[in-house]
Amino acid sequence: EDIRPLAKHFLDRFVRETGRRITGLSEAALRKMEAYSWPGNVRELRNVVERAVALGAGPQLEATDIWLSSLE
């Protein structure tokens, strides 16, 4: 239940720090993150969002921008 507000917090932070023009996370990206078990906890979520901001190509982060560990 904390995934959405935490992801939004990290997104806002990294957009501000990098100057990227990313407006938000798609519903599919949020659902993908909510379905993941997060073995690395908040630190892993932070890293996933940071990577997505750095590598995302569109104005909104999509599910394809969210890279999750295959070691679930």
Side-chain angles (χ1 to χ4, degrees):
E1 66 198 47
D2 294 336
I3 298 299
R4 286 177 185 251
L6 285 170
K8 173 92 170 92
H9 165 76
F10 290 130
L11 175 67
D12 292 345
R13 175 181 170 183
F14 295 126
V15 164
R16 188 174 53 251
E17 288 178 5
T18 62
R20 300 285 316 270
R21 293 184 182 191
I22 298 172
T23 60
L25 292 145
S26 72
E27 188 61 31
L30 289 166
R31 283 194 309 269
K32 183 176 182 177
M33 289 191 287
E34 288 174 330
Y36 185 65
S37 66
W38 298 104
N41 212 333
V42 176
R43 186 173 298 164
E44 184 179 6
L45 174 60
R46 177 193 177 280
N47 290 338
V48 165
V49 175
E50 183 176 24
R51 182 181 317 121
V53 168
L55 301 176
Q60 178 171 287
L61 296 180
E62 301 294 338
T64 55
D65 297 316
I66 306 300
W67 297 3
L68 301 172
S69 171
S70 60
L71 303 174
E72 297 181 52

